[in-house]
């Protein structure tokens, strides 16, 4: 019953694509799955859960500059633009607005496919209509 939702959003905080994994799966799995869905952009804002050298290299190969906190376990701290990182709150607000829908927040659906379709429906109505 635990799931984790990974998303790619635009600069205005509107979702572009989603990927759902089991709750115990690492954030690297969602990051790798959504790597091909990255739009043309200058920055990728992410949290420290998706911080890995291979992910940063893949983003730079696609022409995206990563702006994310480094993991605590890193030996050398990673530099990032703090002013740009503050815009990550728009993505967090996107998830909060999705959870305004009671069906999404409480996860009424046992089937992952039905739950994912409820998320897609909520995102379409909230952000794109």
């Amino acid at each position: 019953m635990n799931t984790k939702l990974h998303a790619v959003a635009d600069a205005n905080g509107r979702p572009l694509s989603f990927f759902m994994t089991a709750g115990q799966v690492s954030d690297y799995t969602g990051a790798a799955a959504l790597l091909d869905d990255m739009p043309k952009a200058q920055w990728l804002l992410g949290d420290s859960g998706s911080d890995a050298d291979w992910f940063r290299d893949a983003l730079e190969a696609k022409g995206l500059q990563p702006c994310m906190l480094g993991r605590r376990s890193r030996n050398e701290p990673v530099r990032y633009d703090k002013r740009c990182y503050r815009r990550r709150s728009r993505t967090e607000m996107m998830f909060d607005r999705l959870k305004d829908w009671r069906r999404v927040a409480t996860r009424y659906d046992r089937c992952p496919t039905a739950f994912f379709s409820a998320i897609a429906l909520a995102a379409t109505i909230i952000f794109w209509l």
Side-chain angles (χ1 to χ4, degrees), residues 87-128:
R87 295 187 63 148
R88 204 176 139 261
S89 63
R90 293 182 183 188
T91 306
E92 297 297 330
M93 285 187 265
M94 176 199 67
F95 284 112
D96 292 341
R97 287 188 66 194
L98 284 174
K99 289 182 181 181
D100 283 345
W101 280 45
R102 188 173 177 198
R103 181 177 205 94
V104 173
T106 57
R107 175 120 196 234
Y108 285 146
D109 303 307
R110 288 180 179 251
C111 176
T113 306
F115 180 60
F116 193 76
S117 63
I119 290 170
L121 179 66
T124 303
I125 291 173
I126 292 170
F127 298 103
W128 295 104

Side-chain angles (χ1 to χ4, degrees), residues 4-115:
K4 193 181 293 184
L5 186 65
H6 308 273
V8 173
D10 64 2
N12 296 322
R14 295 177 299 190
L16 300 176
S17 61
F18 291 114
F19 186 71
M20 192 168 57
T21 59
Q24 69 273 14
V25 174
S26 173
D27 287 344
Y28 297 135
T29 306
L34 290 172
L35 190 60
D36 293 333
D37 294 336
M38 299 289 177
K40 288 278 189 189
Q42 184 177 3
W43 296 87
L44 176 98
L45 308 176
D47 62 351
S48 60
S50 58
D51 175 46
D53 290 332
W54 66 267
F55 187 58
R56 287 179 179 272
D57 294 340
L59 288 174
E60 289 173 1
K62 288 187 73 83
L64 294 167
Q65 185 173 356
C67 181
M68 61 183 79
L69 290 174
R71 288 188 174 264
R72 290 184 185 179
S73 61
R74 279 192 175 269
N75 293 333
E76 295 180 23
V78 178
R79 299 189 71 182
Y80 66 98
D81 186 1
K82 292 181 183 179
R83 188 169 159 225
C84 181
Y85 186 74
R86 275 186 271 164
R87 295 187 63 148
R88 204 176 139 261
S89 63
R90 293 182 183 188
T91 306
E92 297 297 330
M93 285 187 265
M94 176 199 67
F95 284 112
D96 292 341
R97 287 188 66 194
L98 284 174
K99 289 182 181 181
D100 283 345
W101 280 45
R102 188 173 177 198
R103 181 177 205 94
V104 173
T106 57
R107 175 120 196 234
Y108 285 146
D109 303 307
R110 288 180 179 251
C111 176
T113 306
F115 180 60

